Amino acid sequence: MTVPTPILSLAPVTLPAPERGDDLQVRISAPATGDQLPIIVFSHGFSQSMNSYAPLVDFWTASGFAVFQPTHLDSRTLNVTPADPRYPNIWRTRVEDLTRILDNLEVLEAAVPGLAGRLDHTRIAVAGHSWGAQTASTLLGAGVVGEADMTDPRIKAGVLFAIPGTGGADLSPFAAENFPFMSPTFEGLTAPALIVAGDKDDSPLSVRGPEWFTDAYHLSPAPKTLLTLFGAEHSLGGLSGYLVTETTDEDPARVALVRELSVNYLRSVLYPADAPLAVDNSPLGTVESKR
C-alpha cells in the first residue's frame, strides 16, 4: 500500500491590493518535507476559486511541487457582477493576480509555517484551466490583440487545460458581444507548454467546435506538446473538483492521466537532465509534440 505524501495547505493568505478593490486571497499548498521545491502558480476557470481543483493540486503537491492558487475577481465567492466597474477589466486583473504572487513569493512562503526557504525560485511554472489557461498563457508569451506584451521571464513552463482559441470570426455571437478580450495571439507563446484539449469539448463560445481548443498548440512556435483526450468535454474528466456539478464527463482514469502527464511534462522542462517526458499514447488520449 502506498503511503500518501503529507502536505501543507493554508488559506486564505492575503496580499494587500487596494487598487484591485478586494485584497488578493491565495491558497498555498506544498509537501510537508523537502527543499528546493519547484513552483506552480495556478489560475482557476470562470467563477471558481482558490479552493477549487483539488484533484490537480493534491496530486501536484504530493509529487513535490508548491502550488499557489489565487481567487480571481470573477469567482462566485466574491460576487463581482457585470454592473461592477471593474468587470470589463477582470481579464487583465487576472494576469496581474499571477504577477502579484510572483512579486511576493517570499512574503507568501513565510506565511506558511515550515515553508520559508524551501522553494526553488528559479523553477516556476504557470498553469490554468479554461479562462485560467488564457490568463496563464499571457505570462508565457501569448498576447491579446491590441494589448501590451505581458510575458514574464520568471516563468519557465506552462500547462494549459482547455485554453480558448482565436477570436474574431471564430467566436459565437454571444462570446463576441460579452468577451471582447477573447482575441488571443499565439505567435509570441515561445515558452515550453503542454496544451490539454478534449475532443468532445464543443464550447458555446466558438463556432468551430472542439478543435478550437488546440489553437494554442498549432499556432504557437515550438517547443509545445498537445494531449488530446478522447471523449473529454470541458472539465476534462473532472479537474475542477471531486463530484462537482459542472463536471459533464466525469472519468477518474482520465483525470489520473492528465495529472501524471502534467507532472511528467513539468519535470521534463524544469529538470531536463533528470526526467525525460514520457509520451507513450494511451487508450484515453494521444500525445504529439513539436520541438
Side-chain angles (χ1 to χ4, degrees):
M1 178 178 178
T2 302
V3 178
T5 302
I7 65 173
L8 306 169
S9 188
L10 183 65
V13 179
T14 301
L15 289 176
E19 76 286 357
R20 188 175 180 269
D22 288 274
D23 288 341
L24 180 61
Q25 295 186 351
V26 184
R27 173 176 291 277
I28 306 169
S29 303
T33 59
D35 294 309
Q36 293 299 296
L37 304 173
I39 296 165
I40 300 173
V41 182
F42 182 81
S43 179
H44 64 72
F46 177 73
S47 83
Q48 302 288 343
S49 75
M50 64 182 174
N51 298 315
S52 307
Y53 296 92
L56 271 178
V57 175
D58 290 351
F59 187 86
W60 285 342
T61 306
S63 299
F65 289 83
V67 184
F68 294 78
Q69 297 173 264
T71 290
H72 297 303
L73 287 179
D74 58 277
S75 172
R76 66 172 68 97
T77 64
L78 297 180
N79 196 34
V80 176
T81 69
D84 191 296
R86 295 172 292 175
Y87 201 85
N89 280 315
I90 279 182
W91 72 270
R92 191 190 309 275
T93 304
R94 280 174 145 267
V95 180
E96 293 168 352
D97 290 346
L98 304 189
T99 302
R100 193 182 301 271
I101 288 174
L102 295 174
D103 291 344
N104 290 276
L105 278 176
E106 291 185 358
V107 172
L108 291 169
E109 65 181 284
V112 182
L115 185 59
R118 295 175 52 217
L119 303 185
D120 186 344
H121 291 220
T122 70
R123 290 185 168 96
I124 303 175
V126 68
H129 175 240
S130 191
W131 194 4
Q134 181 176 350
T135 302
S137 74
T138 61
L139 298 187
L140 296 166
V144 175
V145 172
E147 300 291 339
D149 179 20
M150 291 175 273
T151 305
D152 195 312
R154 292 172 290 187
I155 304 296
K156 308 305 182 187
V159 182
L160 307 174
F161 302 103
I163 179 172
T166 53
D170 292 340
L171 296 180
S172 66
F174 172 81
E177 180 180 354
N178 292 279
F179 306 116
F181 60 86
M182 293 184 67
S183 298
T185 59
F186 297 113
E187 295 82 0
L189 207 172
T190 57
L194 169 66
I195 291 92
V196 183
D199 70 357
K200 299 299 181 185
D201 188 358
D202 196 1
S203 174
L205 299 178
S206 175
V207 298
R208 282 178 45 210
E211 57 95 14
W212 186 57
F213 290 99
T214 67
D215 283 355
Y217 175 76
H218 293 294
L219 301 180
S220 66
K224 297 293 181 296
T225 297
L226 173 66
L227 168 62
T228 302
L229 296 169
F230 303 146
E233 299 177 8
H234 200 60
S235 294
L236 302 176
L239 297 186
S240 62
Y242 299 106
L243 302 175
V244 296
T245 56
E246 65 261 25
T247 298
T248 56
D249 61 337
E250 187 173 354
D251 188 334
R254 185 179 294 142
V255 172
L257 174 66
V258 170
R259 299 190 308 186
E260 291 168 9
L261 186 57
S262 65
V263 165
N264 288 347
Y265 178 80
L266 288 177
R267 288 202 170 276
S268 76
V269 176
L270 299 177
Y271 304 92
D274 300 332
L277 175 62
V279 294
D280 293 337
N281 287 340
S282 160
L284 297 174
T286 185
V287 174
E288 59 184 285
S289 296
K290 55 185 180 182
R291 302 294 179 184

